[in-house]
Structure formats: structure tokens, C-alpha cells
Amino acid sequence: MSALTLDPNEAVCPDYASEDYAAARNAMIGGNIDKAAAVILLANAWNATNAAEKAIWARQMREAAEAEREREQRDREEIERRAEARGLEEELIVEEKKKYKNKYTDVSMVPPPLIPSEILPAYATSRLQDGMYVEMWYFTNEGLDYALKTSAALDDDFMIQSIDKDGNAVWTTAASRGSKTALDDRDLSWEQFSVAIPRFLDAIHAAEWTDQRQTMMANLFTGLQAHPYRSSRDPLDKIILLRYLSEQRRLWHQAIEAGTGAWDIGILSDTLIRAAADSVRREHLDRIVSNTYIP
């Protein structure tokens, strides 16, 4: 049986008593069946057929709805499959770009710069990203020279084998290894310290240190540069300021890591500067005595 195309629920029983259906009525009239009975018989037959068609229509609607649900489900599954495939592909692309970042780094279509970009050591930037202490030497010209040589030789994630203090072989990334020639803050020249300041401040800003900590560091450097020892003719006075810088920066980071409570390192302590002065002058005097002593 062919599928129904019109909804039988909207059909209306014909008026079999009308002149239009006279032939149908006359075909049934005879014996005990008169015109009125013929009209009733024709209407009953139509209603029976209509009821059967309603049942067929309802089944067709259920089958069509089920087919539509199955189609929508297949479409959803296909969309999800394609999305998952795209997601996996995108993940692979991201991992590929992370693994070979130098290969995929965007290159600007511009002439070469007249002044080469400054490359900071990966070790220093990695430490600052973790909010940890790093020597200011890495931000001096010598530190940048070190970065230029090492960045050209090794990828930051390149694994290097070394020997720990117990004699065991350990593997570390290039970015986690500092320079053996790095100087402590106390051993810098005042010129090296001055050159390192703006680079260091830019680096902690790029590492997203809190505004409070960036301000503290800026105040520390400004305070040291404005201190009377800075313009003193005594060469030991600048060494005293660098000694204070070295001690305070290390202690400040240690206090933060230990969770014992740090302080505003941007506020200079005259007492601690005097203590650093006593230490520096005593060491200087000891060297003089040692060099002039004749047994």
C-alpha cells in the first residue's frame, strides 16, 4: 500500500444525501434498503475507511519522527567525530609548534633591525617566571652575551646530563642551568649594576610579578642610586651598597619561599647598610693586613 500524502484527520465525511452522490445511493437502494439507509451505509463505510487511514497516518508519523531522530543522531555523531578529529589535529599542531617553536615562530616581513634585539638568558627568565631569586649579572652586557651564545647552541628544553654533589648523574633542561661564570650581586661593578636595572625591571614585568613587588624592586634600585654612598669618592662605599643589595635580595626571596613573611625591600635600612659597611671595611682591612704582614 502506498504511503498516504494527506492527513485523514483533516478529511470531512461527504454529504451522501446530496445530489452529487445520487448514483452511489441508487446503486445500494433495493430490498430493505431505501435512500436513508443507503446514506447511512455510505457514511459508515467512509468513516471506517477514514479510521483505518488515521491509524496508517499515525504509524507513518511515528516512523517519520523516528527516522528524523535517527538522522539527527547520525548528524550529531558525525559533527562530534569531525570536531574530535579537528581537536586532535589542533592538539598535534600545538604540540608540534611547542616542540619546534623556532620553526613556527612568526617572522615579520620587515627589513633587518639596525639594533639587534636583546636576548635574556633562559635560566634567568625561567627563574623570574617562578618568582625566584636570580643574580642581576644575567641582565648585564656579559649576561646577555652568555644568553646569545647559549641560545644559539641549545634549545631551552634540551636535556643535559650533569653530576650532582653526591656523584649521581642527573638530567636537567638547558633553561634550568645557570652560568658558571655568573657573579653574585656583591661582585658586580657599579656600572654593571646600573646597566642591569632597566632590563631586570622589564623582565619582572614580563614575568607578571605583582605591581607591589615590581614597585618594591624599583624603589630598592632608586634608593641605592640616590644614596650618599653612590656619589662618594671612597670606592668601598659602592661595594657596601652592592653588598647590601646582594644580602637583602637573597634574604627577601628566602623569606617568601619559607613563608615566614617578607618585607618591603624598597625601604632602605640605614642600620643594615651600616652592618654591611662594617663587614666590607673589616674584610678590606684584613686583606691589607694580610698583604703587608711579614713573618
Side-chain angles (χ1 to χ4, degrees):
M1 181 178 179
S2 59
L4 298 178
T5 58
L6 297 176
D7 184 357
N9 293 285
E10 298 179 359
V12 178
C13 181
D15 181 7
Y16 289 110
S18 67
E19 194 61 31
D20 293 337
Y21 293 93
R25 290 194 307 271
N26 292 335
M28 299 183 67
I29 294 173
N32 296 328
I33 302 175
D34 57 10
K35 177 181 177 181
V39 171
I40 293 173
L41 289 173
L42 288 171
N44 288 343
W46 185 92
N47 287 328
T49 301
N50 182 256
E53 289 179 345
K54 286 179 179 179
I56 294 171
W57 182 263
R59 185 176 69 252
Q60 285 183 189
M61 293 300 98
R62 289 194 300 271
E63 291 174 352
E66 181 62 26
E68 179 64 16
R69 284 193 295 271
E70 291 178 356
R71 185 190 64 77
E72 290 177 351
Q73 178 64 23
R74 289 194 299 272
D75 290 346
R76 283 195 297 270
E77 291 175 354
E78 178 63 15
I79 291 172
E80 291 173 358
R81 185 192 66 77
R82 292 180 180 179
E84 183 178 359
R86 285 196 301 270
L88 291 174
E89 184 178 359
E90 290 172 359
E91 288 181 9
L92 290 174
I93 292 174
V94 170
E95 289 300 319
E96 172 82 2
K97 289 184 176 181
K98 286 173 61 178
K99 186 176 181 180
Y100 302 106
K101 58 185 179 181
N102 291 338
K103 176 181 176 182
Y104 291 100
T105 300
D106 290 337
V107 177
S108 301
M109 303 297 288
V110 296
L114 299 179
I115 301 176
S117 299
E118 293 182 340
I119 300 175
L120 296 176
Y123 168 78
T125 56
S126 176
R127 298 275 295 181
L128 293 182
Q129 285 290 341
D130 293 335
M132 301 177 69
Y133 171 84
V134 65
E135 294 85 352
M136 294 197 68
W137 176 85
Y138 288 99
F139 304 92
T140 64
N141 291 337
E142 293 77 11
L144 265 61
D145 290 342
Y146 163 78
L148 189 61
K149 288 188 294 184
T150 55
S151 65
L154 296 174
D155 184 79
D156 295 350
D157 296 326
F158 186 83
M159 300 301 292
I160 301 173
Q161 187 181 50
S162 59
I163 305 300
D164 65 14
K165 62 181 181 180
D166 298 322
N168 301 315
V170 294
W171 290 91
T172 58
T173 62
S176 67
R177 290 168 59 91
S179 170
K180 294 181 179 179
T181 60
L183 299 178
D184 189 88
D185 292 357
R186 70 175 62 197
D187 297 320
L188 297 176
S189 68
W190 192 263
E191 181 181 0
Q192 287 176 313
F193 169 58
S194 300
V195 167
I197 289 174
R199 292 171 180 162
F200 181 87
L201 292 176
D202 286 344
I204 63 175
H205 178 73
E208 297 182 343
W209 280 27
T210 64
D211 291 342
Q212 180 192 57
R213 295 188 183 188
Q214 292 184 54
T215 300
M216 287 181 182
M217 284 295 168
N219 289 342
L220 170 64
F221 300 148
T222 301
L224 291 174
Q225 290 181 309
H227 195 276
Y229 282 2
R230 162 68 180 86
S231 55
S232 171
R233 295 179 182 274
D234 186 346
L236 290 181
D237 287 345
K238 292 186 181 67
I239 296 175
I240 292 167
L241 294 179
L242 291 171
R243 175 71 61 89
Y244 175 86
L245 169 72
S246 173
E247 293 175 349
Q248 284 301 298
R249 285 214 313 124
R250 284 188 180 276
L251 291 172
W252 188 73
H253 278 282
Q254 290 171 4
I256 291 174
E257 292 174 18
T260 56
W263 54 92
D264 186 349
I265 195 172
I267 301 174
L268 300 189
S269 169
D270 291 335
T271 300
L272 294 176
I273 290 177
R274 285 195 296 270
D278 291 342
S279 177
V280 168
R281 297 188 190 286
R282 184 170 56 253
E283 291 173 5
H284 180 67
L285 181 59
D286 288 344
R287 285 193 296 272
I288 294 175
V289 172
S290 176
N291 291 334
T292 58
Y293 175 70
I294 301 176

